Amino acid sequence: MKKYIFTLLACLVAIGAQAQTTLKWVDASTLGIIGQAEPTGKPYDRINTEEHRVPENCVTYCGFSTGLAVIFTTDSPTIAARWTTSQSMPGVNMSAITQKGLDLYIRDGEEWVYAGVARPTITAEKRDKHEYTIVNNGPDGKKECLLYLPIWDRVESLEIGVEEGSAIAAMENPFRHKIVVHGSSITHGASSSRSGMTYPALMERRTGLYMINLGYSGMSTLQEEFAHYLAQVESADAFLFDTFSNPSAEVIEERFDKFVDIIREKHPTTPLIFTQTIRRDTRNYNSKTEDFESRKQAMAEKKVRERMQSDEHIYFLDSEGWIGYDHLGTADGTHPTDLGFMRMVEHMEPQVVNILKKYGIK
């Protein structure tokens, strides 16, 4: 009995100590924010749509914080967050953590180690105000932190909480060069379990290359507006495209060359790496989908390989086998899960890295 009483008292002391922890809150926008192709004037928007024309149906998505991250150092044993998003409901093919949550990694040597997520508050009445302690009883000493923001919602405000008396400071971008990734919901990361598990984020942490996520769910169809925006990103060292997942074969045939022409006006020798869209399991028992997808894939490869004949800085990556053949890599036959994204990266990464090395990007 004494043993049980002692254990209970110890638990109560620990709970009391946690309850007495006082946090100070720091506006995350005063720390380092990475992930924007160009400054937007707003810390958590991807594209400033007042200055840059984008397809009308993509304006809202330009305000999503997809691929953005706060980078900072702290010696606090506790790391918390409170943030404001929209009132939107989670999507059918994603978790609430994916849509509205935060995803924290802490550097250990050369590796970024998962540290925890900030879970959003989702109730019938409240889906916009969130507060969560990500790390409790963390190690002493200075820690380099990488906090990915929600991929499917706007962030109106964000504060980082650390213990009173602890230090927190902005950090320089830990990633090098700038690889702009443009594409569909697959690039956007629709069915990843959390925002740090999209394939651009995975490749970023694995390679140390700075990956900008310009994925637009269901709306990446080789539009001229996006080509013009990409062309004016002068600091881009390379472009990686997932632009064949959404458009039909007819749209690819009509728009591909103009899309490339616009980018080439400003980036005559910058590597343009086009990936084939993955084979969707939704084709398996649907002849209409099978026809649509097979024609789309055939046209994509045809157009890129034709362009490669006159442009030595364009590349095509075949996606055969990228998510495996066991039908376990997607959430819904189309959108990769974490397993699917890891499989994609294991195939894609060495090919991309080898191409970039030709340009001194490593």
Side-chain angles (χ1 to χ4, degrees), residues 267-298:
H267 295 271
T269 60
T270 302
L272 309 182
I273 307 170
F274 287 90
T275 63
Q276 178 65 283
T277 185
I278 58 174
R279 189 192 188 286
R280 306 183 185 197
D281 278 344
T282 52
R283 298 165 65 166
N284 293 344
Y285 295 100
N286 187 317
S287 58
K288 185 176 180 180
T289 301
E290 169 63 29
D291 177 66
F292 180 85
E293 290 291 320
S294 61
R295 289 192 303 108
K296 179 173 70 175
Q297 285 189 311

PDB file of all heavy atoms in Angstrom, residues 267-298:
ATOM      1  N   HIS A 267      14.846  31.682 -67.695  1.00  0.00           N
ATOM      2  CA  HIS A 267      15.741  30.635 -67.185  1.00  0.00           C
ATOM      3  C   HIS A 267      16.206  29.761 -68.355  1.00  0.00           C
ATOM      4  O   HIS A 267      15.773  28.612 -68.494  1.00  0.00           O
ATOM      5  CB  HIS A 267      15.021  29.778 -66.141  1.00  0.00           C
ATOM      6  CG  HIS A 267      14.631  30.508 -64.897  1.00  0.00           C
ATOM      7  ND1 HIS A 267      15.461  30.615 -63.806  1.00  0.00           N
ATOM      8  CD2 HIS A 267      13.497  31.183 -64.579  1.00  0.00           C
ATOM      9  CE1 HIS A 267      14.849  31.308 -62.861  1.00  0.00           C
ATOM     10  NE2 HIS A 267      13.654  31.673 -63.304  1.00  0.00           N
ATOM     11  N   PRO A 268      17.073  30.269 -69.209  1.00  0.00           N
ATOM     12  CA  PRO A 268      17.433  29.540 -70.439  1.00  0.00           C
ATOM     13  C   PRO A 268      18.173  28.234 -70.215  1.00  0.00           C
ATOM     14  O   PRO A 268      18.085  27.331 -71.050  1.00  0.00           O
ATOM     15  CB  PRO A 268      18.299  30.543 -71.198  1.00  0.00           C
ATOM     16  CG  PRO A 268      18.787  31.501 -70.157  1.00  0.00           C
ATOM     17  CD  PRO A 268      17.707  31.600 -69.143  1.00  0.00           C
ATOM     18  N   THR A 269      18.911  28.111 -69.103  1.00  0.00           N
ATOM     19  CA  THR A 269      19.684  26.882 -68.877  1.00  0.00           C
ATOM     20  C   THR A 269      19.408  26.243 -67.520  1.00  0.00           C
ATOM     21  O   THR A 269      20.096  25.304 -67.128  1.00  0.00           O
ATOM     22  CB  THR A 269      21.193  27.169 -68.990  1.00  0.00           C
ATOM     23  OG1 THR A 269      21.574  28.153 -68.001  1.00  0.00           O
ATOM     24  CG2 THR A 269      21.561  27.666 -70.375  1.00  0.00           C
ATOM     25  N   THR A 270      18.423  26.741 -66.816  1.00  0.00           N
ATOM     26  CA  THR A 270      18.075  26.150 -65.521  1.00  0.00           C
ATOM     27  C   THR A 270      17.470  24.770 -65.737  1.00  0.00           C
ATOM     28  O   THR A 270      16.614  24.601 -66.611  1.00  0.00           O
ATOM     29  CB  THR A 270      17.052  27.041 -64.788  1.00  0.00           C
ATOM     30  OG1 THR A 270      17.606  28.352 -64.629  1.00  0.00           O
ATOM     31  CG2 THR A 270      16.711  26.467 -63.423  1.00  0.00           C
ATOM     32  N   PRO A 271      17.901  23.751 -64.970  1.00  0.00           N
ATOM     33  CA  PRO A 271      17.319  22.420 -65.167  1.00  0.00           C
ATOM     34  C   PRO A 271      15.831  22.377 -64.854  1.00  0.00           C
ATOM     35  O   PRO A 271      15.395  22.855 -63.803  1.00  0.00           O
ATOM     36  CB  PRO A 271      18.119  21.529 -64.204  1.00  0.00           C
ATOM     37  CG  PRO A 271      18.775  22.452 -63.242  1.00  0.00           C
ATOM     38  CD  PRO A 271      18.976  23.753 -63.961  1.00  0.00           C
ATOM     39  N   LEU A 272      15.068  21.825 -65.795  1.00  0.00           N
ATOM     40  CA  LEU A 272      13.633  21.602 -65.627  1.00  0.00           C
ATOM     41  C   LEU A 272      13.420  20.099 -65.588  1.00  0.00           C
ATOM     42  O   LEU A 272      13.618  19.408 -66.603  1.00  0.00           O
ATOM     43  CB  LEU A 272      12.841  22.212 -66.784  1.00  0.00           C
ATOM     44  CG  LEU A 272      13.109  23.671 -67.144  1.00  0.00           C
ATOM     45  CD1 LEU A 272      12.191  24.115 -68.290  1.00  0.00           C
ATOM     46  CD2 LEU A 272      12.946  24.589 -65.937  1.00  0.00           C
ATOM     47  N   ILE A 273      13.035  19.576 -64.440  1.00  0.00           N
ATOM     48  CA  ILE A 273      12.892  18.135 -64.243  1.00  0.00           C
ATOM     49  C   ILE A 273      11.407  17.809 -64.162  1.00  0.00           C
ATOM     50  O   ILE A 273      10.717  18.199 -63.211  1.00  0.00           O
ATOM     51  CB  ILE A 273      13.615  17.676 -62.957  1.00  0.00           C
ATOM     52  CG1 ILE A 273      15.077  18.144 -62.965  1.00  0.00           C
ATOM     53  CG2 ILE A 273      13.532  16.160 -62.812  1.00  0.00           C
ATOM     54  CD1 ILE A 273      15.789  17.934 -61.632  1.00  0.00           C
ATOM     55  N   PHE A 274      10.916  17.091 -65.159  1.00  0.00           N
ATOM     56  CA  PHE A 274       9.494  16.724 -65.206  1.00  0.00           C
ATOM     57  C   PHE A 274       9.339  15.264 -64.780  1.00  0.00           C
ATOM     58  O   PHE A 274      10.002  14.377 -65.315  1.00  0.00           O
ATOM     59  CB  PHE A 274       8.937  16.914 -66.613  1.00  0.00           C
ATOM     60  CG  PHE A 274       8.756  18.350 -67.002  1.00  0.00           C
ATOM     61  CD1 PHE A 274       9.793  19.048 -67.623  1.00  0.00           C
ATOM     62  CD2 PHE A 274       7.572  19.012 -66.726  1.00  0.00           C
ATOM     63  CE1 PHE A 274       9.634  20.383 -67.972  1.00  0.00           C
ATOM     64  CE2 PHE A 274       7.406  20.354 -67.066  1.00  0.00           C
ATOM     65  CZ  PHE A 274       8.435  21.043 -67.694  1.00  0.00           C
ATOM     66  N   THR A 275       8.453  15.028 -63.818  1.00  0.00           N
ATOM     67  CA  THR A 275       8.182  13.667 -63.371  1.00  0.00           C
ATOM     68  C   THR A 275       6.880  13.174 -63.997  1.00  0.00           C
ATOM     69  O   THR A 275       5.907  13.926 -64.105  1.00  0.00           O
ATOM     70  CB  THR A 275       8.070  13.582 -61.839  1.00  0.00           C
ATOM     71  OG1 THR A 275       6.958  14.362 -61.398  1.00  0.00           O
ATOM     72  CG2 THR A 275       9.337  14.104 -61.173  1.00  0.00           C
ATOM     73  N   GLN A 276       6.898  11.915 -64.395  1.00  0.00           N
ATOM     74  CA  GLN A 276       5.662  11.298 -64.871  1.00  0.00           C
ATOM     75  C   GLN A 276       4.701  11.150 -63.697  1.00  0.00           C
ATOM     76  O   GLN A 276       5.126  10.887 -62.562  1.00  0.00           O
ATOM     77  CB  GLN A 276       5.968   9.927 -65.467  1.00  0.00           C
ATOM     78  CG  GLN A 276       4.766   9.145 -65.972  1.00  0.00           C
ATOM     79  CD  GLN A 276       4.078   9.819 -67.150  1.00  0.00           C
ATOM     80  OE1 GLN A 276       3.350  10.788 -66.949  1.00  0.00           O
ATOM     81  NE2 GLN A 276       4.309   9.301 -68.353  1.00  0.00           N
ATOM     82  N   THR A 277       3.412  11.347 -63.924  1.00  0.00           N
ATOM     83  CA  THR A 277       2.456  11.112 -62.850  1.00  0.00           C
ATOM     84  C   THR A 277       2.448   9.628 -62.479  1.00  0.00           C
ATOM     85  O   THR A 277       2.674   8.757 -63.324  1.00  0.00           O
ATOM     86  CB  THR A 277       1.043  11.558 -63.264  1.00  0.00           C
ATOM     87  OG1 THR A 277       0.172  11.424 -62.133  1.00  0.00           O
ATOM     88  CG2 THR A 277       0.510  10.744 -64.421  1.00  0.00           C
ATOM     89  N   ILE A 278       2.234   9.349 -61.189  1.00  0.00           N
ATOM     90  CA  ILE A 278       2.240   7.967 -60.731  1.00  0.00           C
ATOM     91  C   ILE A 278       1.032   7.213 -61.289  1.00  0.00           C
ATOM     92  O   ILE A 278       0.011   7.814 -61.629  1.00  0.00           O
ATOM     93  CB  ILE A 278       2.239   7.882 -59.193  1.00  0.00           C
ATOM     94  CG1 ILE A 278       1.022   8.614 -58.604  1.00  0.00           C
ATOM     95  CG2 ILE A 278       3.530   8.450 -58.623  1.00  0.00           C
ATOM     96  CD1 ILE A 278       0.868   8.466 -57.102  1.00  0.00           C
ATOM     97  N   ARG A 279       1.168   5.901 -61.368  1.00  0.00           N
ATOM     98  CA  ARG A 279       0.049   5.077 -61.812  1.00  0.00           C
ATOM     99  C   ARG A 279      -0.960   4.949 -60.675  1.00  0.00           C
ATOM    100  O   ARG A 279      -0.637   4.474 -59.592  1.00  0.00           O
ATOM    101  CB  ARG A 279       0.512   3.682 -62.234  1.00  0.00           C
ATOM    102  CG  ARG A 279      -0.622   2.899 -62.898  1.00  0.00           C
ATOM    103  CD  ARG A 279      -0.318   1.428 -63.084  1.00  0.00           C
ATOM    104  NE  ARG A 279      -1.344   0.791 -63.887  1.00  0.00           N
ATOM    105  CZ  ARG A 279      -2.581   0.484 -63.465  1.00  0.00           C
ATOM    106  NH1 ARG A 279      -2.934   0.745 -62.204  1.00  0.00           N
ATOM    107  NH2 ARG A 279      -3.456  -0.082 -64.272  1.00  0.00           N
ATOM    108  N   ARG A 280      -2.183   5.368 -60.940  1.00  0.00           N
ATOM    109  CA  ARG A 280      -3.219   5.367 -59.914  1.00  0.00           C
ATOM    110  C   ARG A 280      -3.928   4.016 -59.851  1.00  0.00           C
ATOM    111  O   ARG A 280      -4.274   3.439 -60.874  1.00  0.00           O
ATOM    112  CB  ARG A 280      -4.243   6.463 -60.197  1.00  0.00           C
ATOM    113  CG  ARG A 280      -3.615   7.842 -60.371  1.00  0.00           C
ATOM    114  CD  ARG A 280      -4.653   8.905 -60.567  1.00  0.00           C
ATOM    115  NE  ARG A 280      -4.022  10.192 -60.849  1.00  0.00           N
ATOM    116  CZ  ARG A 280      -4.638  11.362 -60.750  1.00  0.00           C
ATOM    117  NH1 ARG A 280      -5.914  11.403 -60.396  1.00  0.00           N
ATOM    118  NH2 ARG A 280      -4.011  12.477 -61.019  1.00  0.00           N
ATOM    119  N   ASP A 281      -4.195   3.570 -58.635  1.00  0.00           N
ATOM    120  CA  ASP A 281      -4.957   2.328 -58.467  1.00  0.00           C
ATOM    121  C   ASP A 281      -6.418   2.489 -58.852  1.00  0.00           C
ATOM    122  O   ASP A 281      -7.137   1.495 -59.011  1.00  0.00           O
ATOM    123  CB  ASP A 281      -4.864   1.843 -57.017  1.00  0.00           C
ATOM    124  CG  ASP A 281      -3.575   1.082 -56.751  1.00  0.00           C
ATOM    125  OD1 ASP A 281      -2.923   0.673 -57.735  1.00  0.00           O
ATOM    126  OD2 ASP A 281      -3.219   0.903 -55.578  1.00  0.00           O
ATOM    127  N   THR A 282      -6.883   3.723 -59.010  1.00  0.00           N
ATOM    128  CA  THR A 282      -8.261   3.935 -59.448  1.00  0.00           C
ATOM    129  C   THR A 282      -8.471   3.427 -60.882  1.00  0.00           C
ATOM    130  O   THR A 282      -9.621   3.308 -61.328  1.00  0.00           O
ATOM    131  CB  THR A 282      -8.624   5.429 -59.384  1.00  0.00           C
ATOM    132  OG1 THR A 282      -7.627   6.194 -60.085  1.00  0.00           O
ATOM    133  CG2 THR A 282      -8.683   5.908 -57.942  1.00  0.00           C
ATOM    134  N   ARG A 283      -7.397   3.097 -61.581  1.00  0.00           N
ATOM    135  CA  ARG A 283      -7.496   2.566 -62.944  1.00  0.00           C
ATOM    136  C   ARG A 283      -7.862   1.087 -62.958  1.00  0.00           C
ATOM    137  O   ARG A 283      -8.293   0.562 -63.991  1.00  0.00           O
ATOM    138  CB  ARG A 283      -6.153   2.728 -63.673  1.00  0.00           C
ATOM    139  CG  ARG A 283      -5.695   4.141 -63.836  1.00  0.00           C
ATOM    140  CD  ARG A 283      -4.232   4.261 -64.228  1.00  0.00           C
ATOM    141  NE  ARG A 283      -3.935   3.708 -65.550  1.00  0.00           N
ATOM    142  CZ  ARG A 283      -2.807   3.928 -66.205  1.00  0.00           C
ATOM    143  NH1 ARG A 283      -1.857   4.698 -65.662  1.00  0.00           N
ATOM    144  NH2 ARG A 283      -2.600   3.403 -67.390  1.00  0.00           N
ATOM    145  N   ASN A 284      -7.681   0.411 -61.850  1.00  0.00           N
ATOM    146  CA  ASN A 284      -7.699  -1.049 -61.843  1.00  0.00           C
ATOM    147  C   ASN A 284      -8.992  -1.658 -62.390  1.00  0.00           C
ATOM    148  O   ASN A 284      -8.956  -2.641 -63.121  1.00  0.00           O
ATOM    149  CB  ASN A 284      -7.446  -1.572 -60.424  1.00  0.00           C
ATOM    150  CG  ASN A 284      -6.036  -1.260 -59.952  1.00  0.00           C
ATOM    151  OD1 ASN A 284      -5.157  -0.931 -60.757  1.00  0.00           O
ATOM    152  ND2 ASN A 284      -5.808  -1.364 -58.647  1.00  0.00           N
ATOM    153  N   TYR A 285     -10.135  -1.122 -62.023  1.00  0.00           N
ATOM    154  CA  TYR A 285     -11.404  -1.702 -62.452  1.00  0.00           C
ATOM    155  C   TYR A 285     -12.335  -0.656 -63.055  1.00  0.00           C
ATOM    156  O   TYR A 285     -13.557  -0.713 -62.886  1.00  0.00           O
ATOM    157  CB  TYR A 285     -12.086  -2.406 -61.268  1.00  0.00           C
ATOM    158  CG  TYR A 285     -11.287  -3.589 -60.771  1.00  0.00           C
ATOM    159  CD1 TYR A 285     -10.478  -3.469 -59.646  1.00  0.00           C
ATOM    160  CD2 TYR A 285     -11.314  -4.808 -61.454  1.00  0.00           C
ATOM    161  CE1 TYR A 285      -9.718  -4.541 -59.200  1.00  0.00           C
ATOM    162  CE2 TYR A 285     -10.560  -5.886 -61.019  1.00  0.00           C
ATOM    163  CZ  TYR A 285      -9.770  -5.747 -59.898  1.00  0.00           C
ATOM    164  OH  TYR A 285      -9.005  -6.806 -59.466  1.00  0.00           O
ATOM    165  N   ASN A 286     -11.725   0.295 -63.761  1.00  0.00           N
ATOM    166  CA  ASN A 286     -12.508   1.355 -64.384  1.00  0.00           C
ATOM    167  C   ASN A 286     -11.901   1.638 -65.755  1.00  0.00           C
ATOM    168  O   ASN A 286     -10.846   2.272 -65.857  1.00  0.00           O
ATOM    169  CB  ASN A 286     -12.497   2.612 -63.514  1.00  0.00           C
ATOM    170  CG  ASN A 286     -13.434   3.701 -64.019  1.00  0.00           C
ATOM    171  OD1 ASN A 286     -13.488   3.970 -65.219  1.00  0.00           O
ATOM    172  ND2 ASN A 286     -14.154   4.338 -63.108  1.00  0.00           N
ATOM    173  N   SER A 287     -12.538   1.167 -66.800  1.00  0.00           N
ATOM    174  CA  SER A 287     -11.974   1.275 -68.143  1.00  0.00           C
ATOM    175  C   SER A 287     -11.872   2.729 -68.602  1.00  0.00           C
ATOM    176  O   SER A 287     -10.934   3.089 -69.334  1.00  0.00           O
ATOM    177  CB  SER A 287     -12.814   0.470 -69.136  1.00  0.00           C
ATOM    178  OG  SER A 287     -14.155   0.922 -69.143  1.00  0.00           O
ATOM    179  N   LYS A 288     -12.814   3.568 -68.185  1.00  0.00           N
ATOM    180  CA  LYS A 288     -12.753   4.980 -68.568  1.00  0.00           C
ATOM    181  C   LYS A 288     -11.542   5.660 -67.940  1.00  0.00           C
ATOM    182  O   LYS A 288     -10.815   6.417 -68.616  1.00  0.00           O
ATOM    183  CB  LYS A 288     -14.039   5.693 -68.138  1.00  0.00           C
ATOM    184  CG  LYS A 288     -14.118   7.136 -68.587  1.00  0.00           C
ATOM    185  CD  LYS A 288     -15.460   7.758 -68.211  1.00  0.00           C
ATOM    186  CE  LYS A 288     -15.533   9.222 -68.660  1.00  0.00           C
ATOM    187  NZ  LYS A 288     -16.850   9.827 -68.302  1.00  0.00           N
ATOM    188  N   THR A 289     -11.312   5.389 -66.662  1.00  0.00           N
ATOM    189  CA  THR A 289     -10.144   5.959 -65.984  1.00  0.00           C
ATOM    190  C   THR A 289      -8.859   5.403 -66.572  1.00  0.00           C
ATOM    191  O   THR A 289      -7.882   6.140 -66.753  1.00  0.00           O
ATOM    192  CB  THR A 289     -10.208   5.666 -64.475  1.00  0.00           C
ATOM    193  OG1 THR A 289     -11.408   6.230 -63.937  1.00  0.00           O
ATOM    194  CG2 THR A 289      -9.015   6.253 -63.746  1.00  0.00           C
ATOM    195  N   GLU A 290      -8.844   4.129 -66.856  1.00  0.00           N
ATOM    196  CA  GLU A 290      -7.663   3.506 -67.465  1.00  0.00           C
ATOM    197  C   GLU A 290      -7.306   4.189 -68.776  1.00  0.00           C
ATOM    198  O   GLU A 290      -6.135   4.515 -69.035  1.00  0.00           O
ATOM    199  CB  GLU A 290      -7.911   2.017 -67.686  1.00  0.00           C
ATOM    200  CG  GLU A 290      -6.869   1.308 -68.542  1.00  0.00           C
ATOM    201  CD  GLU A 290      -5.483   1.317 -67.938  1.00  0.00           C
ATOM    202  OE1 GLU A 290      -5.369   1.344 -66.690  1.00  0.00           O
ATOM    203  OE2 GLU A 290      -4.499   1.308 -68.709  1.00  0.00           O
ATOM    204  N   ASP A 291      -8.295   4.442 -69.607  1.00  0.00           N
ATOM    205  CA  ASP A 291      -8.044   5.101 -70.887  1.00  0.00           C
ATOM    206  C   ASP A 291      -7.538   6.527 -70.685  1.00  0.00           C
ATOM    207  O   ASP A 291      -6.559   6.951 -71.322  1.00  0.00           O
ATOM    208  CB  ASP A 291      -9.331   5.105 -71.715  1.00  0.00           C
ATOM    209  CG  ASP A 291      -9.159   5.836 -73.041  1.00  0.00           C
ATOM    210  OD1 ASP A 291      -8.396   5.346 -73.894  1.00  0.00           O
ATOM    211  OD2 ASP A 291      -9.786   6.903 -73.208  1.00  0.00           O
ATOM    212  N   PHE A 292      -8.189   7.274 -69.800  1.00  0.00           N
ATOM    213  CA  PHE A 292      -7.807   8.664 -69.540  1.00  0.00           C
ATOM    214  C   PHE A 292      -6.372   8.744 -69.021  1.00  0.00           C
ATOM    215  O   PHE A 292      -5.570   9.557 -69.497  1.00  0.00           O
ATOM    216  CB  PHE A 292      -8.769   9.277 -68.520  1.00  0.00           C
ATOM    217  CG  PHE A 292      -8.472  10.711 -68.171  1.00  0.00           C
ATOM    218  CD1 PHE A 292      -8.961  11.749 -68.943  1.00  0.00           C
ATOM    219  CD2 PHE A 292      -7.704  11.023 -67.052  1.00  0.00           C
ATOM    220  CE1 PHE A 292      -8.690  13.078 -68.624  1.00  0.00           C
ATOM    221  CE2 PHE A 292      -7.424  12.345 -66.723  1.00  0.00           C
ATOM    222  CZ  PHE A 292      -7.922  13.376 -67.506  1.00  0.00           C
ATOM    223  N   GLU A 293      -6.055   7.899 -68.054  1.00  0.00           N
ATOM    224  CA  GLU A 293      -4.729   7.951 -67.429  1.00  0.00           C
ATOM    225  C   GLU A 293      -3.632   7.471 -68.375  1.00  0.00           C
ATOM    226  O   GLU A 293      -2.546   8.058 -68.422  1.00  0.00           O
ATOM    227  CB  GLU A 293      -4.722   7.115 -66.144  1.00  0.00           C
ATOM    228  CG  GLU A 293      -5.539   7.704 -65.013  1.00  0.00           C
ATOM    229  CD  GLU A 293      -4.922   8.981 -64.449  1.00  0.00           C
ATOM    230  OE1 GLU A 293      -3.682   9.035 -64.316  1.00  0.00           O
ATOM    231  OE2 GLU A 293      -5.679   9.924 -64.161  1.00  0.00           O
ATOM    232  N   SER A 294      -3.888   6.412 -69.122  1.00  0.00           N
ATOM    233  CA  SER A 294      -2.851   5.893 -70.027  1.00  0.00           C
ATOM    234  C   SER A 294      -2.558   6.890 -71.142  1.00  0.00           C
ATOM    235  O   SER A 294      -1.401   7.091 -71.524  1.00  0.00           O
ATOM    236  CB  SER A 294      -3.270   4.540 -70.610  1.00  0.00           C
ATOM    237  OG  SER A 294      -4.462   4.647 -71.368  1.00  0.00           O
ATOM    238  N   ARG A 295      -3.596   7.545 -71.679  1.00  0.00           N
ATOM    239  CA  ARG A 295      -3.369   8.551 -72.719  1.00  0.00           C
ATOM    240  C   ARG A 295      -2.628   9.767 -72.159  1.00  0.00           C
ATOM    241  O   ARG A 295      -1.759  10.334 -72.819  1.00  0.00           O
ATOM    242  CB  ARG A 295      -4.704   8.974 -73.338  1.00  0.00           C
ATOM    243  CG  ARG A 295      -5.343   7.901 -74.204  1.00  0.00           C
ATOM    244  CD  ARG A 295      -6.513   8.418 -75.031  1.00  0.00           C
ATOM    245  NE  ARG A 295      -7.567   9.016 -74.225  1.00  0.00           N
ATOM    246  CZ  ARG A 295      -7.818  10.328 -74.163  1.00  0.00           C
ATOM    247  NH1 ARG A 295      -7.078  11.182 -74.844  1.00  0.00           N
ATOM    248  NH2 ARG A 295      -8.811  10.790 -73.415  1.00  0.00           N
ATOM    249  N   LYS A 296      -2.974  10.133 -70.954  1.00  0.00           N
ATOM    250  CA  LYS A 296      -2.313  11.257 -70.296  1.00  0.00           C
ATOM    251  C   LYS A 296      -0.825  10.968 -70.090  1.00  0.00           C
ATOM    252  O   LYS A 296       0.036  11.811 -70.400  1.00  0.00           O
ATOM    253  CB  LYS A 296      -3.006  11.511 -68.949  1.00  0.00           C
ATOM    254  CG  LYS A 296      -2.430  12.639 -68.128  1.00  0.00           C
ATOM    255  CD  LYS A 296      -3.292  12.905 -66.904  1.00  0.00           C
ATOM    256  CE  LYS A 296      -3.197  11.799 -65.887  1.00  0.00           C
ATOM    257  NZ  LYS A 296      -3.957  12.125 -64.644  1.00  0.00           N
ATOM    258  N   GLN A 297      -0.506   9.790 -69.590  1.00  0.00           N
ATOM    259  CA  GLN A 297       0.894   9.431 -69.370  1.00  0.00           C
ATOM    260  C   GLN A 297       1.661   9.369 -70.689  1.00  0.00           C
ATOM    261  O   GLN A 297       2.808   9.831 -70.773  1.00  0.00           O
ATOM    262  CB  GLN A 297       0.988   8.093 -68.637  1.00  0.00           C
ATOM    263  CG  GLN A 297       0.637   8.176 -67.160  1.00  0.00           C
ATOM    264  CD  GLN A 297       0.952   6.888 -66.427  1.00  0.00           C
ATOM    265  OE1 GLN A 297       0.582   5.789 -66.862  1.00  0.00           O
ATOM    266  NE2 GLN A 297       1.650   6.989 -65.313  1.00  0.00           N
ATOM    267  N   ALA A 298       1.048   8.807 -71.704  1.00  0.00           N
ATOM    268  CA  ALA A 298       1.719   8.695 -73.001  1.00  0.00           C
ATOM    269  C   ALA A 298       2.007  10.073 -73.587  1.00  0.00           C
ATOM    270  O   ALA A 298       3.101  10.329 -74.120  1.00  0.00           O
ATOM    271  CB  ALA A 298       0.872   7.866 -73.965  1.00  0.00           C
TER     272      ALA A 298
END
